[in-house]
Amino acid sequence: MEISGPITPGQMAVLVGFIPILLAWMYAEALEFWNKSRQATVNPTVPDILLKEEAKKQLLESGLSPESSRAYKQKAGLFRFFMMDKDFLLDNRLTLRAASEFGAFLVYFYLCDRTDLFGESKKVLFVMYHYFNAKETYNAIRVFIAAYVWMTGFGNFSYYYVRKDFSLARFYQMIWRLNFFVAFCCIILGNHYMLYYICPMHTFFTLMVYCSLGILNKYNETGSVIAIKIAACFLVIVAVWEIPHVYDFVWAPFTFLLAYNDPDASRKYPPMHEWNFRAGLDRYIWILGMIYAYFHPMVEGWLEKLEQTEVKLRTLIKTCISAICLVVGYLWYQYIYKLEKYTYNRYHPYTSWIPITVCICLRNITQEFRSYTLTLFGWLGKMTLESYIAQFHIWLRSGKPDAQPQKLLSIVPNYPMLNFMLNTIIFVTVAHRIFILTNKLKPAMIPAGDNKQLLFNLISGVIISITLYALSLVLLNLMNKQSEVQK
């Protein structure tokens, strides 16, 4: 098996960190099996609940409350992990299992995209833009992404406005959800963050919503304050993207994080061009999502009143709204959507709200439409982030760092449709599992309601990462020396 490119310190660091977790999980599973076998043999008639009550009684007799014991175990978790403490491993067996499975998927990503274990083929006759290279769907993809970004504004505004939860735990959980998976993909595959532009784009817009509502959040119940906050968001985006040179000044400090150059591009752009283009396409639509979220209860109340009006009047109002939506949607389709993609891109930031608004209006025009949902698309929508990232490496194939996926992963050579179906099944399954694993690992790393434990976890994570990276440098240096000696 041939590997494309040398092993990087980041890859070595992840490998060194993954091996103890895998061994700890295997040991924990063995301990669980032995305990169940012994329990069934020694005392098969005692129910689990009685055993738990007995353990709790012994804990109280020792002078420790369950809460203090739990806090102690959390604080001493790292030490107990390194000492392979049996009770700790059993208590965290499911977390270790989730981490091990996540690591196994990262290995699979690497095997698919950075080795010759599987074949590759050029793009053939297909139905989706990336996989099938169907350029005529480009404008539709732009609208779909805009709708996703709209949901970022709508969903986050709704949460913070209703729940009023601006805690550190909630903030870090949000960052975790958006960046946990992509961070490891960047390390394992040697890619820049901006290759997966959806992640930094949604992180930025989510942070904008969080900051706008979090600042002086006790005044969020006042409509004029919300109006000022939304106007401020709008003015910030206008200043950054519409006024010359402001963009360069604002984003220059973040070049290390957001710079990107396609190694295969025929035309080379400045390092920050990609971020300017990608984030700029949907720079306003998230603000519209915030506005719609704010007025959602009012519109919902208006729709309930409309359903109670006389049939003729209700029908007339709904018919007029539907007619207006259809006319506006048709005009947008004819004069905007059908434009060549480069021309369309210039209009997209200012017109993407049209199809989204038309869809929302028609979707809510009747009670029947409002109650109908597409379960499959709802299920797929939950893992949009994971599927977007996974498509680059286990559905398609780039073959080298920072490259766009120009080829197809070929598991079944010479049978393109069969290969497509098998790859798609694997791709969707893996994306769904990674979505589940990300959420399983989140509470273990970012506990809610315990800022001290959260801070401890963050500091520990930084220290462990630095240690692993330093160790990887030493190991790679030794490997290089050994290789030179053999030559």
Side-chain angles (χ1 to χ4, degrees):
M1 181 177 68
E2 185 177 348
I3 297 175
S4 61
I7 298 176
T8 66
Q11 292 168 346
M12 179 61 75
V14 172
L15 178 62
V16 172
F18 173 67
I19 291 175
I21 292 175
L22 179 63
L23 295 176
W25 166 64
M26 296 171 65
Y27 185 35
E29 294 289 355
L31 289 173
E32 178 71 8
F33 176 78
W34 292 332
N35 283 354
K36 286 185 177 180
S37 300
R38 183 175 56 187
Q39 181 182 351
T41 304
V42 176
N43 203 355
T45 60
V46 180
D48 287 343
I49 188 171
L50 294 181
L51 293 174
K52 291 179 180 179
E53 289 296 327
E54 180 63 25
K56 185 176 180 180
K57 180 180 178 181
Q58 293 176 0
L59 183 64
L60 292 174
E61 290 176 352
S62 67
L64 293 174
S65 66
E67 291 75 14
S68 61
S69 175
R70 191 181 303 113
Y72 167 76
K73 289 180 178 180
Q74 289 175 341
K75 294 294 188 296
L78 280 177
F79 177 77
R80 298 175 71 207
F81 171 78
F82 289 124
M83 296 302 296
M84 287 291 170
D85 181 87
K86 293 182 179 180
D87 291 335
F88 175 83
L89 296 181
L90 287 171
D91 291 341
N92 295 275
R93 178 174 57 89
L94 297 181
T95 300
L96 292 170
R97 179 192 293 177
S100 299
E101 186 180 352
F102 182 80
F105 283 132
L106 292 177
V107 172
Y108 178 65
F109 274 52
Y110 186 85
L111 292 175
C112 288
D113 201 22
R114 294 293 189 270
T115 71
D116 61 353
L117 182 63
F118 301 104
E120 62 182 27
S121 61
K122 295 182 178 179
K123 293 185 176 180
V124 293
L125 182 63
F126 274 156
V127 294
M128 293 183 179
Y129 176 68
H130 273 303
Y131 201 93
F132 295 99
N133 203 25
K135 295 181 180 179
E136 61 273 14
T137 66
Y138 175 85
N139 294 355
I141 297 296
R142 295 267 64 84
V143 175
F144 296 153
I145 293 175
Y148 187 39
V149 177
W150 179 90
M151 281 299 301
T152 296
F154 185 94
N156 282 287
F157 183 96
S158 298
Y159 178 87
Y160 292 120
Y161 187 73
V162 175
R163 298 284 186 88
K164 301 176 177 60
D165 180 8
F166 299 96
S167 63
L168 285 176
R170 168 63 186 174
F171 173 79
Y172 285 116
Q173 285 175 353
M174 171 187 68
I175 298 299
W176 174 280
R177 173 71 182 89
L178 292 171
N179 294 284
F180 172 69
F181 178 37
V182 72
F184 278 95
C185 283
C186 289
I187 296 171
I188 290 296
L189 299 165
N191 293 325
H192 279 80
Y193 188 35
M194 262 306 296
L195 178 67
Y196 316 97
Y197 72 91
I198 286 240
C199 298
M201 185 174 69
H202 283 281
T203 300
F204 170 60
F205 294 142
T206 300
L207 285 172
M208 287 291 291
V209 178
Y210 177 83
C211 292
S212 62
L213 288 183
I215 297 172
L216 300 176
N217 59 80
K218 62 181 180 181
Y219 299 108
N220 284 347
E221 296 299 326
T222 305
S224 58
V225 173
I226 292 297
I228 292 172
K229 289 186 174 186
I230 291 177
C233 290
F234 181 78
L235 291 175
V236 167
I237 298 301
V238 168
V240 173
W241 266 274
E242 308 291 354
I243 300 177
H245 308 301
V246 175
Y247 171 86
D248 296 329
F249 175 78
V250 170
W251 292 110
F254 301 96
T255 301
F256 75 98
L257 183 65
L258 299 174
Y260 172 78
N261 279 306
D262 184 352
D264 298 323
S266 57
R267 178 182 176 184
K268 297 299 181 182
Y269 292 95
M272 292 297 286
H273 169 80
E274 187 75 4
W275 173 244
N276 186 11
F277 171 66
R278 296 295 185 180
L281 281 173
D282 299 305
R283 58 186 180 266
Y284 296 117
I285 196 65
W286 63 277
I287 303 177
L288 191 72
M290 293 174 65
I291 296 172
Y292 283 18
Y294 179 73
F295 286 106
H296 174 259
M298 181 189 303
V299 174
E300 190 174 40
W302 182 81
L303 288 173
E304 291 177 358
K305 290 182 180 179
L306 179 61
E307 296 298 338
Q308 297 172 3
T309 60
E310 190 217 0
V311 176
K312 290 184 178 180
L313 178 60
R314 182 169 72 243
T315 303
L316 176 63
I317 294 174
K318 290 184 177 182
T319 301
C320 291
I321 294 175
S322 300
I324 293 171
C325 288
L326 291 173
V327 170
V328 171
Y330 175 78
L331 293 174
W332 170 83
Y333 176 79
Q334 285 293 330
Y335 297 103
I336 302 295
Y337 178 79
K338 294 173 72 173
L339 292 172
E340 179 269 336
K341 75 173 188 176
Y342 294 105
T343 305
Y344 174 81
N345 283 340
R346 293 199 294 268
Y347 290 95
H348 178 80
Y350 314 102
T351 61
S352 61
W353 64 272
I354 297 175
I356 293 173
T357 303
V358 168
C359 179
I360 292 172
C361 290
L362 295 177
R363 168 77 168 79
N364 292 279
I365 200 67
T366 68
Q367 288 180 321
E368 290 77 13
F369 286 176
R370 292 195 293 273
S371 62
Y372 186 77
T373 59
L374 297 174
T375 305
L376 175 61
F377 285 94
W379 179 74
L380 291 172
K382 292 180 179 180
M383 56 183 186
T384 300
L385 189 71
E386 288 75 19
S387 59
Y388 171 78
I389 298 171
Q391 68 164 329
F392 281 73
H393 309 296
I394 64 171
W395 199 45
L396 307 173
R397 176 182 166 92
S398 59
K400 59 183 177 181
D402 285 338
Q404 295 292 326
Q406 299 294 334
K407 298 179 180 179
L408 311 179
L409 182 67
S410 180
I411 298 179
V412 187
N414 303 320
Y415 293 92
M417 292 309 298
L418 179 60
N419 184 69
F420 165 69
M421 289 187 289
L422 179 59
N423 269 345
T424 300
I425 292 172
I426 296 173
F427 159 66
V428 173
T429 302
V430 170
H432 181 244
R433 284 302 303 167
I434 290 175
F435 165 75
I436 292 174
L437 294 173
T438 300
N439 288 313
K440 280 186 176 180
L441 292 170
K442 181 172 63 179
M445 298 303 298
I446 309 176
D450 189 346
N451 288 339
K452 290 184 178 180
Q453 180 63 36
L454 174 60
L455 181 61
F456 177 81
N457 288 355
L458 290 175
I459 295 174
S460 300
V462 171
I463 294 174
I464 291 173
S465 299
I466 294 174
T467 303
L468 288 175
Y469 191 80
L471 181 60
S472 70
L473 291 175
V474 173
L475 291 175
L476 287 175
N477 187 44
L478 292 174
M479 291 171 61
N480 291 333
K481 289 183 178 179
Q482 183 67 26
S483 178
E484 291 176 0
V485 170
Q486 291 179 352
K487 289 180 180 180

